[in-house]
Amino acid sequence: MATGDPMRSRDSVGRRAFVVGAGAAALFAGGGTAAAAGVEPSGVAEGAAPASAALQGTLPDFHPLLKDELRFPLAWGTSPIRDFRTWRRAARAKVEEHLFVARDDTPYAPEFGERRAEGDDCTRELVTFSLSRYGRVRGALLTPHGTGPFPAVLLLHDHGAKFDIGKEKLVRPWFDDTRLTSAQAWADRYFSGRFVGDELARRGYVVLAVDALGWGDRGPVTYEEQQALASNFYNLGSSLAGLMAREDARAAAFLAGLDRVDRHRVAALGFSMGAFRAWQTAALSDDIAAAASVCWMTGIKEVMVPGNNILRGQSSYYMLHAGLARHLDFPDVASIGAPKPMLFLHGGQDPLFTSEGVRVAHEKLRAVWRSRHAGERLDIRVRPDLGHVFTAPMQDDAFAWLDAVL
């Protein structure tokens, strides 16, 4: 969290004299005292609500009160809806309402075969298709040798503040030596030097990976530009996170509809932001039969603590559906996918997620799957010795799990 902000030092006395914190006003309306509320005396007239500091770092000073207002009334078990299928429809509709991006039935009109290359285990090609009515994208498509239809995996890339590559983080870019150098360095850093998509293709899966807006062919943006990009989506009555959610669901439908794919055996898999995208897609798309999520699950209230990355904005905007937290927590959204098989892998040393946030989320997920008599379909594994990574042993666990459920 930044310190020494010039906006905070400029006329700070004046700010404290004239800005009344809503949190302080609420506390005093309830009969509290300045000492009990932790608010400094401000010299305001007797009987008036005391002034409050406007901010605590990047949070409003009344953020604890805002947190307390998050009750997640639409969560399964809290919602008055008792039939699970009815709840799932209502919860999914609420999520879609907060995407600010409409459903899309634009024909995909795919063009296959660009940069086709035959390997020992699979055929690699680039496919261009209309991911939405707003434009066409280019994806990496790997097809195993043999007779299909095959099971398939939609691979969803991470954020990592690295925008020159997107799909190439997960599929070896056979088509571009410059991207290969960058991608190999990324794989060495997070994936034990492996390309997850190539490993899956060797195991007999069709693999599709597409750039999210801002990465690879659809970028690159800079770290600073992504926040402006997100705010301009809001200016246009739309949402960056909502677009990504809709596009991921569209990519899932495209993959499931390929003749080479067994549409009943399609999974979503991702690491970090890609993990968020994986469980979100499983929740929003009936084309996804299972999801593996590596290093992204938490309770929202528990993760919003000083120093956490989510408080910085920037990358968070790709996962921020404005107002949704007044209805559903992150694990509540993931639970819309129940009772599909879902795998959550977490590193106990992951600095991006508090242990309490992970614990709360896992407990919520377990409760939902157990309520569906499907506890065995939810696989939660924590590696206490690991951080924010998807190492070869973790990959092997995920691949074995996919083999079992698909």
Side-chain angles (χ1 to χ4, degrees), residues 144-230:
H145 296 323
T147 303
F150 302 99
V153 176
L154 175 65
L155 281 183
L156 300 158
H157 67 74
D158 59 69
H159 187 289
K162 184 172 178 59
F163 300 98
D164 62 312
I165 51 174
K167 60 187 177 296
E168 297 85 3
K169 294 179 178 182
L170 296 166
V171 173
R172 185 179 184 276
W174 72 93
F175 51 88
D176 189 315
D177 289 343
T178 300
R179 293 188 187 187
L180 176 58
T181 299
S182 182
Q184 187 62 64
W186 198 251
D188 292 342
R189 182 174 180 180
Y190 289 106
F191 307 132
S192 299
R194 287 174 160 183
F195 287 96
V196 175
D198 296 67
E199 296 294 326
L200 284 165
R202 290 189 189 100
R203 298 181 75 105
Y205 292 90
V206 173
V207 171
L208 175 67
V210 179
D211 297 320
L213 185 64
W215 280 268
D217 294 335
R218 305 178 72 191
V221 296
T222 66
Y223 186 80
E224 293 74 18
E225 287 172 344
Q226 63 183 326
Q227 189 152 303
L229 177 65

Side-chain angles (χ1 to χ4, degrees), residues 222-403:
T222 66
Y223 186 80
E224 293 74 18
E225 287 172 344
Q226 63 183 326
Q227 189 152 303
L229 177 65
S231 66
N232 285 323
F233 265 86
Y234 288 138
N235 286 334
L236 292 166
S238 191
S239 164
L240 179 58
L243 178 72
M244 188 169 72
R246 288 293 193 198
E247 288 187 343
D248 289 345
R250 284 268 298 173
F254 173 75
L255 178 60
L258 295 178
D259 291 341
R260 67 193 78 179
V261 169
D262 180 347
R263 67 172 309 112
H264 301 294
R265 294 192 292 159
V266 179
L269 183 153
F271 163 70
S272 193
M273 183 185 76
F276 174 98
R277 298 168 67 190
W279 55 253
Q280 179 175 256
T281 307
L284 297 179
S285 171
D286 294 331
D287 294 299
I288 294 297
S293 173
V294 185
C295 293
W296 212 113
M297 177 47 67
T298 181
I300 190 169
K301 293 202 287 188
E302 293 77 17
V303 78
M304 291 195 68
V305 295
N308 195 277
N309 192 60
I310 201 170
L311 301 188
R312 300 173 65 184
Q314 295 296 357
S315 62
S316 303
Y317 278 95
Y318 279 96
M319 296 159 278
L320 194 161
H321 303 302
L324 182 59
R326 289 199 169 271
H327 306 276
L328 296 162
D329 199 355
F330 293 130
D332 303 326
V333 176
S335 295
I336 296 170
K340 296 176 183 179
M342 294 183 73
L343 170 67
F344 290 88
L345 294 176
H346 176 70
Q349 303 300 315
D350 192 329
L352 299 183
F353 301 99
T354 65
S355 58
E356 178 65 6
V358 172
R359 182 191 65 78
V360 166
H362 287 174
E363 287 183 356
K364 286 186 175 184
L365 293 168
R366 288 189 178 101
V368 176
W369 263 259
R370 286 170 181 164
S371 77
R372 308 325 309 143
H373 309 289
E376 76 284 354
R377 292 188 174 191
L378 179 69
D379 196 333
I380 294 174
R381 308 183 195 185
V382 178
R383 297 289 296 265
D385 56 322
L386 296 178
H388 198 70
V389 290
F390 189 21
T391 62
M394 297 171 77
Q395 293 170 39
D396 291 341
D397 287 347
F399 299 157
W401 179 84
L402 285 170
D403 290 347

